[in-house]
Amino acid sequence: MSWQTYVDEHLMCEIEGQQGQHLASAAIVGHDGSVWAQSSAFPQFKPEEITGIMKDFDEPGFLAPTGLYLGGSKYMVIQGEAGAVIRGKKGSGGVTIKKTGQALVIGIYDEPMTPGQCNVIVERLGDYLADQGL
């Protein structure tokens, strides 16, 4: 399966039983910041934004004082799982980032999607990829 298929069919899919509800945008990005695949609306991010995210996985809490930046948008860092998941909130939307052995699975959402729905979509694919050794 291509990386783009993972983004299109697993990250950008409609939520079961919730017609029309899906992530605003999503991507799978290498730890080095290289884009493996992304949805058309995924923001153009800066390499230093990915560097900051990777540093937060190594040093949980690193982004908390400054916020998480992605595509120039600032997200307030909220609870996550140290070294595995970073979650951010911005207005009525937010972001979930799941780290696997080689990649970051990133999902950005807006209402009516809930943070929990975004977490499930992103973390389920991230767990699957990690189980595959990716």
Side-chain angles (χ1 to χ4, degrees):
M1 193 178 314
S2 76
W3 292 113
Q4 193 61 50
T5 304
Y6 280 116
V7 169
D8 296 342
E9 294 182 7
H10 296 278
L11 293 175
M12 295 304 294
C13 60
E14 275 190 1
I15 297 175
E16 230 171 274
Q18 306 284 319
Q19 190 171 356
Q21 278 195 40
H22 51 77
L23 294 173
S25 62
I28 300 172
V29 179
H31 288 179
D32 62 357
S34 60
V35 176
W36 294 8
Q38 65 183 24
S39 64
S40 58
F42 196 78
Q44 181 67 47
F45 57 83
K46 299 178 181 79
E48 59 268 22
E49 293 172 337
I50 299 300
T51 303
I53 290 166
M54 288 302 296
K55 185 160 180 152
D56 194 86
F57 280 119
D58 293 336
E59 300 172 30
F62 172 76
L63 291 175
T66 58
L68 181 159
Y69 285 86
L70 193 62
S73 293
K74 180 180 180 178
Y75 296 86
M76 180 177 70
V77 178
I78 54 175
Q79 94 293 346
E81 295 169 36
V85 180
I86 298 172
R87 298 184 184 111
K89 184 92 175 112
K90 182 181 130 204
S92 62
V95 63
T96 301
I97 305 169
K98 169 76 176 179
K99 181 183 180 200
T100 71
Q102 298 177 27
L104 300 174
V105 180
I106 305 171
I108 298 174
Y109 69 93
D110 280 310
E111 282 186 333
M113 180 174 269
T114 66
Q117 290 169 324
C118 178
N119 296 342
V120 167
I121 291 169
V122 171
E123 293 174 38
R124 187 170 46 198
L125 180 60
D127 288 341
Y128 171 78
L129 294 175
D131 289 345
Q132 301 303 306
L134 299 168

